[in-house]
Amino acid sequence: MRKLTKILLGTGFMMFLFSCEEDHAVTELDKAQESTSVIHVTDHDGQPFDTGTNRGDQKGRYTAGPGGGVMMQGFYWDVPAGGTWWNTVKGKLSAWSSAGIESVWLPPVSKAQNGAFSMGYDPTDYFDFGNYNQNGTVETRFGSKTELQSLINTAHAENMEVYADIVLNHNSGGQLEANQYTGTNTWTDFTGVASGKFLRSQHDFHPNWVHGGDAGFFGGFPDLCHDVPYVQDWLWNRSDGVAKYYKNTMGFDGWRFDYVKGFDPWVVAAWNNAVGGFSVGELWDSDVNWLESWANSANSSVFDFACYYKMNDAFDGNNLNLLNDDMMWKRNPYKAVTFVTNHDTDEIWNKMLAYAYILTHEGYPTIFYQDYEAWLDKNKLNNLIWIHNNKATGTTSILHVDNDEYVARRNGYNGNPGLIVYINNSSSWKTRWVPTNWYNTQIKDFTGHSGWYPTTQSGGWVQIQCPPNSYSVWSPNI
């Protein structure tokens, strides 16, 4: 209602005038109601992302919120060598679980060709976790098998999941042998690995007796042939093979599959069918059609590189209209793992806006270790994690988007009211009237960036604000 101003006239009569300021506000609301076209992005029953892992009766510190949880990438490229990394991560778990981190993705845990200096992506012996003396070292770059098991046990005590980075495309560190398929000498003799398990030779790599190749080779490394029954047995069929040993003996809860462009998606589907657990593939490509097709064929989640590249162009290119474009989380939010940075790519400059985006939208958001522990404001990230876990519920509707402003609504689920996120990529404060699902309800900005406590109208409309180059997140003040 517009404010009335009382004026005493000389004749003794009083006159009431409507405030011009309030007239302007109503006009702006009228314009907003006429021009706003809500885009309903997703259509499902509203349930949050679920990793599908049964934690049993564990009573740890982490407790899932209405919006689900968040994954931490627990490493970066070239973490300190010297066998200390498993203990470093173990020391972070209590604080991470308190902050709302549900799971930790670890780098490849087995012994690799570069020994104590390897980041693990050149695997030699899948069953050497830092307990055999080979490739010039006993421990891996990250530590010993005992330290790794202690990390996993501690995470489980915190009610957190641990995901192993699995390199299935290629191997490295074998011995030279005469190769009957190439007519040359190749580094494909892995019959002497120290664990004595999964002894590979030229017959298990491309080219071989099955065929000349599969979806792709990487870096000139020997390329595993997953069509060989022996390879399938040792990777996922045998009770003492890689998948089941990692899950049942080491205690891993899920898998991040490296370079899935290098082999067909049925490989991941077969692994998942044999052993279960959460699964996400690294299909490094912005083509959302390919991401969706691969996820469906592999029966797996996939990293949302389409979202990553759209965020990069939107936030750094000053064109938030690009957030209207297609992304994997819009196709299938239950198979999309979103991220802002990882150990391979770090292109987004305005990271806090990107984190505000993924932590208020659908999919399974990932926090990068260096962003959290070194590069960004941990308190702001913790605030966004709390908002994600407690307020980011239900389907998604886009309320407004232009070059500088983006406003979206999470529509709530199972009694949780959801939220409205306002992202401002300009250099000045912005305000906007938006339609909510809340009526005659006081709301507030749960980031603390705005001090407003507006009340929604009977029709659900409300005016909200956002500071420059920042974000605000609104929900009922409860």
Side-chain angles (χ1 to χ4, degrees), residues 369-431:
Y369 182 95
Q370 286 290 73
D371 285 344
Y372 188 82
E373 293 291 345
W375 294 343
L376 300 179
D377 187 324
K378 185 183 292 187
N379 291 327
K380 290 183 177 180
L381 286 174
N382 282 342
N383 170 251
L384 285 171
I385 293 168
W386 184 91
I387 287 171
H388 171 271
N389 292 5
N390 292 279
K391 300 291 183 180
T393 61
T395 57
T396 302
S397 301
I398 296 177
L399 307 182
H400 175 83
V401 63
D402 59 32
N403 280 2
D404 295 328
E405 299 173 71
Y406 173 87
V407 188
R409 185 178 71 208
R410 296 295 300 278
N411 292 304
Y413 173 70
N414 198 27
N416 186 283
L419 58 79
I420 291 178
V421 57
Y422 192 169
I423 298 177
N424 177 10
N425 204 35
S426 78
S427 57
S428 60
W429 278 84
K430 297 289 185 180
T431 61

Side-chain angles (χ1 to χ4, degrees), residues 6-43:
K6 183 171 68 175
I7 299 177
L8 181 64
L9 302 178
T11 59
F13 293 102
M14 285 187 295
M15 179 178 179
F16 292 89
L17 299 177
F18 287 108
S19 166
C20 293
E21 197 173 304
E22 295 297 326
D23 272 342
H24 176 72
V26 172
T27 301
E28 289 300 315
L29 172 57
D30 291 339
K31 289 180 179 179
Q33 289 175 327
E34 291 175 2
S35 62
T36 298
S37 179
V38 177
I39 301 172
H40 300 294
V41 179
T42 55
D43 181 16

